Amino acid sequence: MSRTTSTAPAEAQAPQRAARGDRFPHDEPQYAVPRARTRAGMLDLAALAVMLGVVIVGFEPVWGSHGYLAPAVGGAALGLLVAWLGAAFRWSTLSVAAATIVVYFVAGGALALGGSTVAGVVPTAETARGLLRGAVFSWKSFVTTAPPLSSFPDLALVPFVLLLLAGVLAGTIAWRAKRPVWALVPVLAALVGSILLGTIVAAHPVVQGTVLGVVALMWSAWRTTEGRLRDRETSTEASEEALRRLTVHRARTGAVVLAVAAVAAVALGPVVAPDHGRVVLREDVVPPPDLHEYVTPLAAFRHYVKDEKDDALLTVSGLPAGARVRLATLDAYDGVVYSATSDDKSSGSFVRVGAKVASDATGAPVTLDVQVKGYAGPWVPDVGALTGISYGGDRAKELEDGTYYDAVTGTALTTAQLRAGDSYTVQAVESPQPKEADLKGVPIQHVELPQPTNVPPSVQAKAEQFVGGATDPLTQLQRLRDALLKSGTYSSGIGDQPASRPGHSADRIDTLLGAETMVGDDEQFAVAYSLMAQSLGIPARVVMGVYPDAEDGWKAGTDFTAVGSDVHAWVEVPFQGKGWVAFDSVPEENNKVQTQPRSQQVPKPPVLQDPEPPSEPDQADTAKAKDDKKKEKDQDGTPFDWGHAVAVGAAVAIPLVLILLPFALVLGYKSRRRLRRRRAGDPADRISGGWHEVLDAAVDLGHPVPAGATRREVGTALDAAYPSAGTLTLAHDADATVFGTGEPTDVDVEAYWGGIEAAVAQMRASVPWRKRMAARFSLRSVRRVGRSGASRNSMTKAVADDPLTPQPDHRPRRRWSRPSGDAR
């Protein structure tokens, strides 16, 4: 059956298509109905909503609850709403951007920062500050905070912003762009963002991939086919009905395919889904705390056991029998202090934590309620492997916002610093310590700790002397410990105890090991034990904390009030399958030292000893000494830290580039378009391209240009709006050149383009500077139908289709004489 094709011009059919709710690329603006208002536009909305829903599901593992759904779904819905309004009412690009910003500040507080709003809805000045800061800094906090993030409601700003932007961009492209399939780009970008911002545990990868892939393919195929079928000059009722039937048929078929794929994904997902993790940002991003700002707690050990011997530091409720409260794990020695680090992969990294902390540790769950008495400092006492921490009191939010935890070392700190009156609850998993008999035959776990520096030579010599010929790591550890217990005596310099210098510098450890009777307390013996173990190739670290002494009579299940004398330091060594095992090396106070025979003593290498200082510096002096040492190192020619400089530069440059990139792309596109027109191969095409520069300038300035008007008609209208630009003369010159009998020379073309540039400059100069700047970045001319991408052949075809133009037989149409040309 043959199909009847209407011969009526497109202008005559436009009102008919508008009445049916269709949107054709070549429809005139005054007749066309925006696609967003049609049924086809609603199908676009449904497809985009499903695809953005797939992105939303991806945030489930990192959040740990459904609390993220409100901001994420709200952001996607508001983004699509802004895009729909912009398409339905033909808003400019700047208007859509402004509407997006308004929505962000009006709805962002209610959906993501409810704690700073009035009644959970009305934004306040604090809400505005939070939204401004959150747009820049929340992304970093999102990837440096340990999941689940449900303990930090303010971080919901990240999925809200991501889905808001994805909705605006995807909807705008789908409803307004000439190639709507590009709407998939922001959707896929949002999906990649949810993966990078998430965890190594995927949500529902097979289901997500299947649904997104099927919907994206169905929708893009439908839009592509629809565009091809409707990209015609003429149309009939029969063809439109056939198109509608085809659309319904493909929608039904696609729904069946989607249903089958969804069932298959649910059934086969657990079988075919990979069990390995993904690459996510939180595994590589360095967290914010700088541990160099905090003095090692071991420097204050003598202060606790001597000056605050009987003063209450903490009251702990719920401490299991045999458990030790950890203050800090110290794994880096530099000859001055033993400190905690986060610079090495083996030391872990500090990340923000809250009421819930993901942990794969095994053991018995423990809940500790801690009341801070006389203790003060950044280090948060905890136990076992942390699974959650929450604070009470007036400073709860301040302490919570600054809490970080290193799961590898089990150390927690708060940048707000604990002080008397604070309270908190610790949720943890505690594994009982194995007995030494259970460690026989268990190999040491290989762990790369930071290499100690400036270690005195006596450490290696004494370690070899103490272990003798033993090669088994457990035996070596036992012999090192037994030698310290037998050869040393405990003293903190209190009362009638022997004189004992505080500190654990290289000189102090050298003095300890060089004496016939080693005199010191936990600080010196734990550091010496750890350094000697590392000199034998055994990974070891020092831990400082509190635990009840056996003679104090404390019973499990009762409150434990830790005083200064309960502060201890010990050594931990990792065993395969057992974790880090604690070793104590502190001798008794009244220990009867067994003097070693001279023949067993290893002579120390001759070294020039500095005069012995009267006392070890306190915490402030220790910190100052490290700073002075660092300054001396810098003055001695330490190379410039280019890595830090690059990181700072990238942190500043990347956001700036992302902000300026869209504007630069617009300017670059317009510059390339102007250059392409001016360098066209045919001189007549260059003349026509110059006229299109005038049309684009007018459109960007907000002056409507009818799509079917001739050059003279457009030139007359523009001449009335911009009298000094001379647009009517340019229109006459373009018609005379394009449709004249002669071929324009390069001189004629350059002269015409000189007039074009002068006319555009006059048009821009006649409007306020704000409008002039907006026109430079406007995308109206990019979307203008019939811009200069059409060649001379397409222009002559338009003339040939005009029933008022006499048709030649076989002559080049460009050489006809006619009064005016088609503006398209």
Side-chain angles (χ1 to χ4, degrees):
M1 179 177 180
S2 61
R3 187 176 66 177
T4 302
T5 304
S6 174
T7 58
E11 290 81 357
Q13 296 185 30
Q16 300 174 8
R17 293 194 297 268
R20 295 194 300 268
D22 298 334
R23 170 69 166 166
F24 279 65
H26 51 272
D27 280 344
E28 297 181 9
Q30 60 264 38
Y31 295 123
V33 175
R35 180 183 179 86
R37 296 185 183 182
T38 65
R39 286 178 295 177
M42 293 300 100
L43 291 178
D44 294 337
L45 176 63
L48 293 176
V50 172
M51 290 187 286
L52 291 177
V54 172
V55 177
I56 293 173
V57 173
F59 283 100
E60 180 182 355
V62 71
W63 202 260
S65 69
H66 299 299
Y68 76 98
L69 288 177
V73 174
L78 290 173
L80 291 175
L81 177 61
V82 171
W84 186 89
L85 292 174
F89 297 98
R90 294 189 175 93
W91 290 354
S92 66
T93 303
L94 292 179
S95 298
V96 173
T100 304
I101 295 174
V102 170
V103 167
Y104 174 72
F105 282 99
V106 172
L111 291 174
L113 302 179
S116 63
T117 59
V118 177
V121 178
V122 182
T124 62
E126 182 182 354
T127 305
R129 287 193 297 269
L131 291 171
L132 285 172
R133 289 181 54 83
V136 179
F137 299 108
S138 60
W139 308 90
K140 181 179 181 181
S141 300
F142 200 91
V143 298
T144 58
T145 300
L149 304 183
S150 55
S151 303
F152 307 94
D154 292 355
L155 293 181
L157 190 63
V158 171
F160 171 74
V161 173
L162 186 64
L163 271 300
L164 175 66
L165 295 177
V168 171
L169 294 175
T172 300
I173 296 173
W175 285 316
R176 307 183 72 171
K178 184 178 180 180
R179 294 179 176 84
V181 293
W182 285 101
L184 297 177
V185 173
V187 174
L188 295 177
L191 179 64
V192 173
S194 68
I195 294 174
L196 294 177
L197 295 172
T199 65
I200 57 176
V201 179
H204 307 284
V206 177
V207 177
Q208 287 178 276
T210 302
V211 173
L212 181 61
V214 172
V215 174
L217 288 175
M218 287 174 49
W219 179 78
S220 59
W222 169 55
R223 288 303 304 269
T224 302
T225 303
E226 181 189 46
R228 289 175 179 175
L229 291 176
R230 292 189 173 184
D231 192 13
R232 300 195 303 262
E233 293 293 335
T234 59
S235 176
T236 65
E237 291 291 343
S239 64
E240 295 299 322
E241 180 61 27
L243 177 60
R244 282 192 288 270
R245 288 198 304 269
L246 178 61
T247 301
V248 172
H249 172 72
R250 291 193 173 186
R252 291 174 179 174
T253 304
V256 173
V257 173
L258 179 60
V260 173
V263 173
V266 173
L268 301 178
V271 179
V272 301
D275 56 357
H276 53 78
R278 302 177 295 177
V279 176
V280 294
L281 294 177
R282 68 182 61 252
E283 297 298 320
D284 299 317
V285 174
V286 178
D290 183 5
L291 298 185
H292 295 92
E293 297 180 1
Y294 308 107
V295 179
T296 173
L298 197 59
F301 182 88
R302 185 63 61 87
H303 168 72
Y304 288 123
V305 299
K306 183 176 182 180
D307 300 334
E308 299 186 2
K309 177 182 179 181
D310 300 318
D311 297 339
L313 303 177
L314 306 167
T315 297
V316 183
S317 301
L319 184 66
R324 302 186 178 195
V325 179
R326 181 187 309 267
L327 188 61
T329 299
L330 314 173
D331 52 11
Y333 184 77
D334 61 1
V336 179
V337 292
Y338 226 128
S339 57
T341 64
S342 61
D343 300 330
D344 195 280
K345 292 184 179 180
S346 60
S347 302
S349 58
F350 283 85
V351 296
R352 282 190 64 190
V353 294
K356 293 182 179 180
V357 180
S359 175
D360 57 358
T362 58
V366 177
T367 301
L368 298 185
D369 293 320
V370 182
Q371 299 286 334
V372 181
K373 302 295 185 181
Y375 170 73
W379 311 100
V380 179
D382 62 10
V383 65
L386 198 66
T387 59
I389 183 171
S390 57
Y391 295 89
D394 298 336
R395 302 177 65 231
K397 180 167 177 49
E398 180 184 1
L399 292 168
E400 179 181 292
D401 291 343
T403 299
Y404 296 85
Y405 179 67
D406 183 353
V408 175
T409 63
T411 304
L413 66 85
T414 174
T415 56
Q417 306 216 10
L418 292 174
R419 64 191 184 202
D422 293 332
S423 62
Y424 60 94
T425 299
V426 170
Q427 304 286 341
V429 174
E430 174 69 8
S431 300
Q433 285 285 308
K435 298 180 180 179
E436 288 192 15
D438 299 332
L439 298 177
K440 291 184 178 180
V442 179
I444 297 290
Q445 182 176 350
H446 178 68
V447 176
E448 293 184 2
L449 295 176
Q451 188 67 27
T453 58
N454 300 319
V455 179
S458 57
V459 170
Q460 178 74 32
K462 280 292 183 181
E464 294 176 354
Q465 174 187 340
F466 289 158
V467 301
T471 57
D472 177 63
L474 178 60
T475 303
Q476 291 178 331
L477 289 171
Q478 292 172 336
R479 291 188 179 184
L480 289 176
R481 178 197 58 194
D482 294 343
L484 292 174
L485 295 178
K486 294 177 181 179
S487 304
T489 182
Y490 181 89
S491 174
S492 295
I494 303 174
D496 57 355
Q497 292 180 346
S500 175
R501 286 171 49 203
H504 54 279
S505 64
D507 177 72
R508 180 66 179 91
I509 300 302
D510 185 64
T511 302
L512 175 76
L513 297 177
E516 292 187 3
T517 301
M518 303 182 192
V519 179
D521 52 21
D522 299 50
E523 179 183 6
Q524 293 80 39
F525 283 104
V527 171
Y529 190 12
S530 175
L531 293 178
M532 286 192 294
Q534 292 191 69
S535 70
L536 299 175
I538 301 174
R541 63 191 190 187
V542 175
V543 181
M544 180 176 171
V546 297
Y547 58 82
D549 292 327
E551 60 270 14
D552 290 344
W554 174 81
K555 296 181 179 180
T558 62
D559 293 349
F560 166 54
T561 299
V563 297
S565 60
D566 293 322
V567 177
H568 297 282
W570 61 92
V571 173
E572 287 185 345
V573 177
F575 286 82
Q576 291 186 11
K578 304 294 183 179
W580 289 88
V581 180
F583 287 85
D584 294 310
S585 58
V586 181
E588 298 293 336
E589 181 176 346
N590 297 319
N591 187 31
K592 295 181 179 180
V593 177
Q594 299 178 4
T595 305
Q596 300 179 14
R598 288 285 180 180
S599 59
Q600 297 182 8
Q601 295 184 0
V602 178
K604 294 170 54 180
V607 294
L608 181 62
Q609 298 289 342
D610 295 330
E612 182 174 308
S615 62
E616 188 76 1
D618 57 14
Q619 297 184 45
D621 294 338
T622 302
K624 184 177 183 299
K626 293 183 68 178
D627 292 340
D628 293 342
K629 182 178 179 180
K630 182 178 180 181
K631 291 179 180 179
E632 292 177 359
K633 188 176 181 180
D634 293 340
Q635 293 174 358
D636 290 340
T638 301
F640 182 73
D641 191 353
W642 288 104
H644 179 71
V646 171
V648 173
V652 176
I654 291 177
L656 187 61
V657 169
L658 293 178
I659 293 174
L660 298 179
L661 182 60
F663 301 97
L665 290 177
V666 172
L667 293 178
Y669 171 78
K670 291 185 177 182
S671 177
R672 182 175 178 274
R673 181 182 62 187
R674 182 171 58 253
L675 186 62
R676 187 175 64 249
R677 289 169 174 172
R678 193 163 187 172
R679 294 181 178 178
D682 191 90
D685 286 342
R686 281 181 270 169
I687 295 293
S688 179
W691 173 250
H692 281 290
E693 279 295 308
V694 176
L695 297 185
D696 288 342
V699 170
D700 286 337
L701 290 172
H703 193 94
V705 177
T710 65
R711 289 192 182 91
R712 294 186 181 184
E713 292 171 346
V714 175
T716 302
L718 295 181
D719 195 63
Y722 310 102
S724 60
T727 55
L728 183 57
T729 302
L730 293 173
H732 280 282
D733 292 344
D735 281 344
T737 303
V738 174
F739 299 102
T741 58
E743 184 77 19
T745 64
D746 291 341
V747 177
D748 296 334
V749 173
E750 290 301 319
Y752 184 78
W753 268 92
I756 293 296
E757 293 175 348
V760 171
Q762 287 293 333
M763 293 167 64
R764 290 173 177 170
S766 63
V767 298
W769 70 271
R770 289 187 179 89
K771 191 173 182 179
R772 186 162 59 249
M773 293 301 298
R776 290 188 178 275
F777 301 103
S778 174
L779 296 177
R780 293 190 186 97
S781 63
V782 178
R783 301 191 303 268
R784 185 174 66 86
V785 178
R787 53 188 180 271
S788 65
S791 65
R792 182 177 60 183
N793 292 332
S794 63
M795 292 188 294
T796 56
K797 181 180 182 300
V799 174
D801 292 339
D802 192 339
L804 300 180
T805 304
Q807 303 296 315
D809 294 332
H810 301 286
R811 291 173 297 172
R813 295 186 177 93
R814 189 184 58 78
R815 296 186 180 275
W816 307 335
S817 288
R818 62 167 288 170
S820 61
D822 193 332
R824 295 180 296 175

